[in-house]
Amino acid sequence: MEERREFPGFPYEPYSIQLDFMKALYQSLNKGGVAMLESPTGTGKTLSIICSALQWLVDKKQHQKNQVDSSSNFSGKKEDELGVDDEPDWMRNFVIKNDTKSPEKKTKEKKKMGFNKKIDRKGERENVRDLVSNRGEKAEDTDIEKVNNLPTKHEDEGMDEEEFLVEEYESEDENGGRLKRRGGGVSVNSSSEEEKDEDSMEDEEDEASPKIYFCSRTHSQLSQFIKELRKTKFADELKVVCLGSRKNFCINQEVLKLGSSTQINERCLELQKSRKKEISKKSKTKNTGAGGRVRRSKTSSGCPMLRNHKRGKEFRSEASQQGPLDIEDLVQIGHDFKTCPYYGSRSLVHTADLVVLPYQSLLSKSSRESLGLSLKDSVIVVDEAHNLADSLVSMYNSKITLSQLELVHSHLESYFIRFCNLLGPGNRRYIQIMMVLTRAFLRVLRNEDCQSNFDPVSNAEGSKTGFESSMAINEFLFSQNIDNINLFKLVRYIEESNIMHKVCGYRNKLAFSEEVSASKNDGESSHDESALSGFQALVSILLSLTNKDGDGRIIISRTKPKCSMEQGGCLKYVMLTGEKIFSEILNQAHAVILAGGTLQPIEETKERLFPWLPPDQLHFFSCGHIIPSENILPIVVPQGPSGHSFDFSYSVRSSSVMIQELGLLISNLVNIVPEGMVLFFSSFDYEGQVYDAWKESGIIGRIMKKKRIFREPRSSTDVETVLKEYKETIDALSHSSSKWNPESRNGAILLAIVGGKVSEGINFSDGMGRCMVMVGLPYPNPADIELMERIKHIEGFDTSVGKNTKFQAERCWYSGDAQAGLHILKSCKHRGKQYYENLCMKAVNQSIGRAIRHINDYAAILLVDKRYTYDPSERNSSHSTNKLPQWIKGRLVSGTKNYGELQRLLHQFFKFHKGKEDNR
């Protein structure tokens, strides 16, 4: 298609930078591949994305139609694809039945869940978990023999056992690893992410193609996108659907009151399984001609919001007629029709031209498959893409705590003792294997004698909080003598057999049968929910252990007990790279657009997501800001009022001289800066240290005379309340006349944290952010073991086989001491060091970029540290200030000679804008 010069869908007269952005995006979509587009916060980025991407989609569809019309061979086929809408049963559409998937997709899903008998051992996939095929199961049998020695007494013989017995299970070698039912049927995956509906079938002819997926980090950002979309003509021209989590969509109050997302998801799926059993019973009764009805009970009737198919169709029709709807709108329709908006919205996906959804739903392969999302030849637009790399790898991280392991092991042991003689050999074996694994994991976290020659954690020096060590997957499996277990088969068994719910249900029923008190029953109920969460955490860890050896690290964390009876800690898997995960998305889609207000430095994202991509195949576009140059004043502040140089590096930032000099600077600035100031610190701990020192020295009192002080709370739930008070204080104090009382307050100051809630998603427009102060360069904590493992991976250190002996100590253990991390950083030659510095500047850019929100907004930005200083004639590409956004970098004052010059520049800046406001 030809390039576009105009975008008639834009509802206003676009600024030149908005037009440039839309042209760049349109060109990137034509070209395909991956592109990074940066447009500063407050420049109408969202509206520009909508009007460019959707215009491309409309043009693409018209282009396809023209091609079809010109060829009689394809005209009938294309008319069918674009015009047919059978409107099948609405429940058919929220899950794709296995039969309708392509053979390729089936194969991929089976490989992911370990359904192949033959495990891939080519190349780097030769993990020790595959050695079971070569080494047999001798060691496994040894551990299982210990489990067999458990007592087999039957507790509570009067309890109904049928409810908790697992269906007979045959191993892979015997029957493909499937459940063997009495009627000869084979069960489906009973605890997978989604329950397959027996009557569901997606009509592939209805699939809208091409399709655009727009994803962002939070539901509020998605709602803002829908709001902007409604302003354009595309709201009436294209079919749009918004997806979200069950927690945001659920209208079943009994389920919703569970609170946590995990419990809501599990309960939803459990209700569907109960409904399937009821349908199966009805079907069996009908087929055999047996008389009588199947009695409906609470546990077998399923979710009431999914019972009426007619209401589901009404939901679909109503949602389609109303145009673009956000989550709140869809939930309201669900309430009106008394039907599930979660599955109702999913039923609209296949016909939608534009799908709006959160990161997790798109980036997670299992989520994509459960939602039936096809990325083939589609366009993916990722907003707020500076978070993409972190979000991607965190989805594949896993963690299980010591208390969860103890609970799961206890539940398994109790269940095995009770039902050992009633279980088939397949079930017995897999439950025993689970107990072997939980016992091995417990040995690690309890620091018991294990079967390894080297325990890195016990060799580490102590710290106030505890110990942490890292190991490669193979190293960990060998050290615990569990390398012989086929984890693929085990995970599949757990998912197919529904063993988690059987075990937890038994323990819950056992508590009631013992006639415990009502209060104790309540406690046991929550205990059962904890056990279910523990089982899910165990499955996540087991899945993580099936990853390629070099993709991630096992982190063993032990907290230091306060007394000899206390123990804590956790076992974590940390994914080190997202490039393989992202490549799966990139290979399927026609184009992937990474958009954001601040993507600099782009090297950090490129290094973590697509390092293989040649520079000429990455399209990067960055537009300026809509504000005039005089509306921003970025200044490097190398020294304070007393002449002391500012150096907030890790080793000296806590000195009393540095903290007091910063206090003098701020107490002077509050007299010059009107309305709101935001002061960014590197961490909560350092902010607390500075605040306490200022309070003791009287600086807090001096600041409070001019501005009220607010502090970012550690709890994210309290952030909104603090920000509301902060804004109300500025509005109340800033506009009150002070000519009768020159000592009166003129606004407020907010002490915020880089990387916290305030720095990521809050816009400090107008008076909320007249001056943004960045204290130092907020480098990540060098004591963070996960970060150091990622840096070693990027630098290319071989941490799995120990070829680099100089890094042996660092790879083995950490004890909360930053010196080990700093030693690694000093040893880095280029890539790891650059990555560390890029993380710092990305955090700076995100924080200070929240100040300007519209064309008339203005703010001063102060970078307080001598390390920001540079000589304009000598500045090289690796200098920190060169990684600032262009709209800030181009106007940066490289450094003031003394505090007097800083005060003069700020006074002139705010006087000028006060005059402009008075003349409006």
Side-chain angles (χ1 to χ4, degrees):
M1 296 189 300
E2 296 181 358
E3 293 185 12
R4 263 196 172 268
R5 299 183 180 276
E6 296 180 353
F7 295 87
F10 204 85
Y12 315 109
E13 184 69 28
Y15 297 116
S16 60
I17 63 168
Q18 292 172 332
L19 196 57
D20 291 341
F21 182 91
M22 288 188 284
K23 289 179 181 178
L25 176 53
Y26 195 95
Q27 181 182 356
S28 298
L29 294 178
N30 267 343
K31 183 179 179 182
V34 61
M36 300 179 70
L37 278 69
E38 182 181 65
S39 182
T41 304
T43 56
K45 168 174 58 71
T46 301
L47 199 56
S48 298
I49 290 174
I50 291 170
C51 294
S52 179
L54 297 189
Q55 185 64 61
W56 178 88
L57 182 63
V58 170
D59 292 348
K60 181 72 174 178
K61 287 181 178 293
Q62 184 61 45
H63 180 69
Q64 289 177 338
K65 187 176 184 300
N66 293 340
Q67 286 184 323
V68 169
D69 292 341
S70 65
S71 174
S72 59
N73 293 332
F74 299 95
S75 59
K77 179 181 177 182
K78 284 295 179 180
E79 285 170 5
D80 287 343
E81 287 180 355
L82 297 174
V84 173
D85 184 3
D86 316 353
E87 190 166 312
D89 188 297
W90 77 285
M91 286 293 289
R92 292 167 48 186
N93 301 317
F94 63 73
V95 173
I96 299 178
K97 191 176 179 181
N98 285 341
D99 316 8
T100 65
K101 297 177 183 177
S102 66
E104 294 81 2
K105 188 169 185 180
K106 285 183 180 179
T107 302
K108 288 181 180 179
E109 288 185 350
K110 288 181 178 180
K111 282 183 179 179
K112 179 178 183 296
M113 298 312 300
F115 273 75
N116 284 27
K117 290 184 181 180
K118 193 174 182 179
I119 298 171
D120 181 16
R121 298 183 178 84
K122 294 182 180 179
E124 297 177 307
R125 190 66 177 174
E126 297 177 352
N127 282 353
V128 293
R129 61 182 180 277
D130 300 324
L131 294 180
V132 65
S133 61
N134 299 321
R135 294 177 50 188
E137 299 178 345
K138 293 181 181 178
E140 180 182 315
D141 290 335
T142 302
D143 282 328
I144 289 175
E145 203 171 318
K146 299 175 184 176
V147 178
N148 282 328
N149 293 329
L150 290 169
T152 58
K153 64 177 182 178
H154 286 193
E155 304 168 5
D156 192 22
E157 292 291 347
M159 185 184 298
D160 179 18
E161 61 189 27
E162 182 70 23
E163 181 181 356
F164 305 111
L165 277 176
V166 188
E167 297 280 354
E168 290 183 32
Y169 194 88
E170 293 182 346
S171 70
E172 182 179 275
D173 295 333
E174 298 163 349
N175 194 33
R178 299 302 184 108
L179 295 182
K180 186 175 67 175
R181 296 180 182 272
R182 292 183 179 86
V186 177
S187 77
V188 295
N189 185 344
S190 60
S191 61
S192 61
E193 170 63 19
E194 300 302 341
E195 184 76 10
K196 308 298 184 196
D197 191 3
E198 298 293 342
D199 302 321
S200 69
M201 182 177 292
E202 183 107 37
D203 190 344
E204 293 184 358
E205 291 184 349
D206 287 341
E207 184 77 29
S209 180
K211 195 188 296 285
I212 291 181
Y213 295 97
F214 176 91
C215 62
S216 195
R217 194 164 54 94
T218 65
H219 286 104
S220 61
Q221 289 167 337
L222 298 179
S223 296
Q224 179 63 29
F225 179 87
I226 295 293
K227 183 179 178 182
E228 294 293 305
L229 175 60
R230 289 171 183 159
K231 298 177 182 178
T232 72
K233 67 173 187 176
F234 302 109
D236 300 321
E237 294 181 3
L238 298 172
K239 294 181 179 180
V240 183
V241 64
C242 187
L243 301 180
S245 65
R246 283 183 174 86
K247 185 174 183 179
N248 287 90
F249 269 121
C250 184
I251 59 172
N252 185 334
Q253 295 303 315
E254 289 299 311
V255 176
L256 199 57
K257 70 181 182 181
L258 294 174
S260 76
S261 298
T262 300
Q263 293 177 16
I264 289 173
N265 290 342
E266 281 297 320
R267 183 57 179 155
C268 177
L269 293 173
E270 185 181 342
L271 287 172
Q272 291 177 64
K273 292 166 191 170
S274 299
R275 177 177 174 274
K276 280 186 163 311
K277 288 180 181 178
E278 180 192 14
I279 293 173
S280 177
K281 287 179 182 178
K282 283 185 176 181
S283 176
K284 187 174 181 181
T285 302
K286 184 177 179 181
N287 291 337
T288 58
R293 295 181 179 179
V294 177
R295 186 175 58 185
R296 204 180 266 268
S297 66
K298 274 190 175 181
T299 57
S300 66
S301 59
C303 179
M305 302 304 164
L306 285 173
R307 288 182 197 154
N308 195 316
H309 289 199
K310 182 179 178 181
R311 289 177 183 171
K313 289 183 179 180
E314 291 171 347
F315 174 96
R316 180 180 174 184
S317 176
E318 182 70 15
S320 299
Q321 291 176 12
Q322 290 194 23
L325 301 173
D326 60 18
I327 291 175
E328 288 73 20
D329 299 324
L330 291 167
V331 168
Q332 185 57 53
I333 295 177
H335 277 296
D336 294 341
F337 288 94
K338 294 182 174 55
T339 188
C340 178
Y342 174 73
Y343 284 111
S345 62
R346 285 176 50 171
S347 69
L348 299 168
V349 168
H350 71 296
T351 57
D353 301 299
L354 172 64
V355 180
V356 183
L357 69 172
Y359 275 2
Q360 174 73 32
S361 300
L362 184 81
L363 301 179
S364 168
K365 185 177 181 180
S366 61
S367 295
R368 288 199 307 272
E369 291 176 348
S370 68
L371 291 170
L373 304 182
S374 173
L375 302 186
K376 183 175 175 57
D377 299 327
S378 63
V379 169
I380 298 170
V381 180
V382 181
D383 196 17
E384 300 296 327
H386 65 278
N387 290 311
L388 180 59
D390 288 330
S391 298
L392 195 62
V393 296
S394 66
M395 289 175 192
Y396 293 85
N397 290 350
S398 58
K399 172 183 174 181
I400 188 167
T401 64
L402 176 63
S403 59
Q404 286 177 319
L405 275 170
E406 289 174 336
L407 198 59
V408 169
H409 187 77
S410 171
H411 276 43
L412 283 171
E413 193 171 66
S414 175
Y415 182 86
F416 187 78
I417 291 172
R418 173 65 180 84
F419 295 103
C420 177
N421 294 338
L422 300 174
L423 294 170
N427 284 311
R428 280 202 305 270
R429 183 169 190 82
Y430 280 111
I431 293 172
Q432 288 169 332
I433 292 173
M434 291 170 67
M435 294 167 66
V436 167
L437 287 170
T438 53
R439 185 182 295 114
F441 296 161
L442 285 169
R443 282 200 306 262
V444 174
L445 295 183
R446 289 172 176 168
N447 198 20
E448 297 174 355
D449 290 335
C450 60
Q451 301 175 36
S452 63
N453 296 324
F454 174 65
D455 182 6
V457 180
S458 61
N459 290 349
E461 294 180 4
S463 73
K464 294 181 180 179
T465 56
F467 309 97
E468 285 191 320
S469 68
S470 69
M471 305 175 77
I473 294 176
N474 290 355
E475 183 183 7
F476 175 75
L477 293 174
F478 274 118
S479 71
Q480 301 307 311
N481 199 24
I482 53 177
D483 55 289
N484 56 292
I485 295 175
N486 190 317
L487 297 175
F488 289 105
K489 291 170 63 177
L490 177 60
V491 169
R492 185 175 60 197
Y493 166 78
I494 296 173
E495 293 177 338
E496 289 185 350
S497 65
N498 204 23
I499 185 66
M500 294 189 296
H501 294 87
K502 296 289 185 181
V503 172
C504 293
Y506 166 69
R507 283 296 294 259
N508 195 35
K509 188 73 172 287
L510 183 63
F512 282 100
S513 69
E514 291 173 350
E515 298 180 351
V516 293
S517 65
S519 60
K520 200 168 183 180
N521 284 338
D522 293 338
E524 182 65 28
S525 180
S526 64
H527 195 65
D528 182 60
E529 295 292 352
S530 300
L532 194 57
S533 299
F535 270 107
Q536 291 162 345
L538 177 63
V539 172
S540 295
I541 282 287
L542 297 179
L543 276 172
S544 297
L545 292 173
T546 65
N547 285 319
K548 194 174 84 173
D549 189 56
D551 284 350
R553 301 283 286 181
I554 297 295
I555 308 295
I556 303 166
S557 177
R558 297 184 193 142
T559 58
K560 195 170 184 178
K562 295 179 181 178
C563 64
S564 59
M565 298 300 292
E566 291 184 359
Q567 282 184 318
C570 62
L571 197 65
K572 292 187 286 186
Y573 173 81
V574 179
M575 181 70 78
L576 296 179
T577 175
E579 58 188 80
K580 180 182 176 183
I581 306 166
F582 189 74
S583 66
E584 294 178 356
I585 298 171
L586 189 58
N587 291 339
Q588 294 180 61
H590 164 71
V592 176
I593 306 297
L594 309 184
T598 307
L599 297 180
Q600 295 280 12
I602 65 170
E603 293 80 14
E604 187 266 338
T605 300
K606 183 180 184 299
E607 189 68 47
R608 295 178 66 184
L609 294 182
F610 36 89
W612 71 87
L613 197 68
D616 60 340
Q617 293 186 26
L618 173 63
H619 181 204
F620 177 72
F621 173 83
S622 180
C623 65
H625 215 298
I626 56 176
I627 60 169
S629 59
E630 63 268 16
N631 280 29
I632 181 176
L633 181 63
I635 306 175
V636 174
V637 183
Q639 56 188 350
S642 301
H644 291 289
S645 294
F646 285 124
D647 182 1
F648 292 96
S649 55
Y650 190 81
S651 58
V652 297
R653 68 180 186 180
S654 298
S655 68
S656 58
V657 172
M658 204 60 54
I659 292 176
Q660 291 304 308
E661 191 72 9
L662 178 64
L664 291 176
L665 173 66
I666 302 303
S667 59
N668 285 336
L669 289 178
V670 295
N671 294 301
I672 307 170
V673 178
E675 303 179 280
M677 282 180 63
V678 183
L679 186 60
F680 284 104
F681 292 92
S682 58
S683 68
F684 278 106
D685 289 341
Y686 187 57
E687 183 271 343
Q689 183 182 355
V690 170
Y691 184 87
D692 292 342
W694 285 357
K695 188 174 183 180
E696 186 177 345
S697 63
I699 290 176
I700 290 292
R702 291 170 59 181
I703 295 174
M704 289 283 283
K705 288 181 180 179
K706 295 301 293 183
K707 293 186 186 293
R708 184 179 169 187
I709 297 178
F710 292 87
R711 303 173 68 186
E712 178 176 350
R714 287 180 181 265
S715 173
S716 58
T717 56
D718 299 328
V719 170
E720 189 174 341
T721 301
V722 172
L723 287 173
K724 183 181 179 182
E725 288 187 40
Y726 171 70
K727 186 179 186 305
E728 290 174 348
T729 300
I730 292 171
D731 292 340
L733 296 178
S734 301
H735 303 297
S736 60
S737 176
S738 60
K739 69 178 182 179
W740 304 112
N741 182 13
E743 295 298 322
S744 63
R745 291 178 178 174
N746 63 356
I749 182 171
L750 175 62
L751 309 184
I753 311 302
V754 174
K757 286 287 184 181
V758 168
S759 69
E760 278 292 324
I762 307 301
N763 297 317
F764 293 98
S765 60
D766 299 318
M768 287 185 71
R770 289 302 182 207
C771 182
M772 314 293 281
V773 182
M774 176 59 62
V775 179
L777 284 93
Y779 285 103
N781 187 353
D784 184 345
I785 185 173
E786 297 179 23
L787 173 64
M788 290 301 110
E789 289 295 340
R790 189 165 289 120
I791 287 173
K792 289 192 291 183
H793 177 81
I794 291 173
E795 182 69 19
F797 297 160
D798 191 342
T799 58
S800 61
V801 295
K803 290 182 180 179
N804 296 276
T805 55
K806 63 188 290 188
F807 300 110
Q808 284 297 312
E810 290 84 0
R811 86 179 181 87
C812 290
W813 59 267
Y814 293 78
S815 59
D817 184 3
Q819 293 305 314
L822 290 173
H823 180 62
I824 290 176
L825 292 170
K826 290 176 182 178
S827 303
C828 293
K829 301 298 182 183
H830 177 65
R831 294 174 64 194
K833 184 178 180 181
Q834 283 295 311
Y835 169 70
Y836 188 66
E837 293 176 352
N838 288 339
L839 285 178
C840 169
M841 289 310 298
K842 187 175 77 167
V844 170
N845 294 339
Q846 285 301 312
S847 300
I848 63 179
R850 319 307 302 179
I852 305 296
R853 289 299 297 156
H854 55 83
I855 194 168
N856 294 318
D857 209 352
Y858 63 93
I861 297 173
L862 306 183
L863 304 176
V864 183
D865 198 301
K866 68 178 183 180
R867 290 173 292 173
Y868 285 110
T869 308
Y870 68 96
D871 185 339
S873 63
E874 298 178 359
R875 183 170 58 169
N876 57 50
S877 60
S878 63
H879 193 272
S880 57
T881 55
N882 203 50
K883 296 173 181 177
L884 291 167
Q886 183 59 45
W887 62 279
I888 295 178
K889 181 170 59 177
R891 306 168 192 181
L892 182 65
V893 179
S894 60
T896 52
K897 297 178 181 178
N898 51 55
Y899 174 77
E901 184 181 354
L902 170 66
Q903 185 161 330
R904 178 181 60 82
L905 289 171
L906 289 172
H907 180 75
Q908 291 176 347
F909 179 76
F910 290 115
K911 182 179 179 181
F912 170 76
H913 287 287
K914 182 68 167 62
K916 283 180 65 175
E917 289 181 341
D918 292 340
N919 293 331
R920 284 176 189 165

